[in-house]
Amino acid sequence: MDYQSPLGFEDARIDAAAVLCADGRFGAHFDDFLRNGLGLGRCDRICLPGGPASLAGRPDGDRILTQLKFLVDAHELSRVVLVAHQACAYYTHQLGVTDPHKLEQTQHADLRLARGRVRDATGVDRVDLFFARLDGARMTFEHIEG
C-alpha cells in the first residue's frame, strides 16, 4: 500500500536535536512538547528505549553520542534536549530499578550525567533536561535544573 502525506515539505533550518524514549505511548506528547512547549519548529530526534539513559555511560552510549554528534555537525545545531519520563520500562525491566522514588532519582541523575557527556562529545553548551510526568490524563514536562 502506498501513502502520500498531505503535509508539505519545507527544507528549513533544524532548531535542535532531542533524545527521547521510544515508548509509543508518549510520542505525540513528545512532539507536542518540542513544537508547542519549547517552540522548536523542526527538531532532529533520536528515539530509543530509555531515551537519554544510554548517554549516562551505559552500553551503546558511545554509539548514540556518535549519532548525535553527526546530527549536531550536519545541521549545525546549538541546542540538545534530553527528555526522560515517569515509570520508564527501560529502567524497571533492563536496569531492575523498581522502587518509584529510586527510579526517578536515578533518571534525574542520569539526565545530569548525560548532559555532561553530550556537551563533551558534541561541543553544544545548551543541553536542556526535562522529566515528563503523568498529571491525571495529561503529561507535564518539568525542567530539571543543575
Side-chain angles (χ1 to χ4, degrees), residues 7 14 17 43 54-55 67 78 86 90 92 96 113 123 129 143:
L7 304 175
I14 307 297
C43 191
S54 65
L55 302 177
Q67 293 173 355
S78 60
Q86 180 182 21
Y90 178 84
T92 59
L113 182 57
L129 312 178
H143 184 252

Side-chain angles (χ1 to χ4, degrees), residues 15-16 18 27-43 45 79 81 83 126 128-132 139-143:
D15 297 315
H29 298 93
F30 290 155
D31 287 346
D32 176 61
F33 172 64
L34 294 171
R35 179 173 294 277
N36 299 310
L38 297 180
L40 301 173
R42 304 234 188 265
C43 191
R45 294 165 183 82
R79 185 177 185 187
V81 177
V83 183
R126 186 168 183 190
D128 299 316
L129 312 178
F130 293 92
F131 188 80
M139 184 75 55
T140 298
F141 291 83
E142 302 168 355
H143 184 252

Side-chain angles (χ1 to χ4, degrees), residues 91 97 99-112 131:
Y91 283 88
V97 182
D99 176 80
H101 182 67
K102 173 94 170 140
L103 172 61
E104 192 167 321
Q105 284 181 331
T106 302
Q107 288 176 283
H108 284 228
D110 281 355
L111 282 168
R112 289 182 180 98
F131 188 80

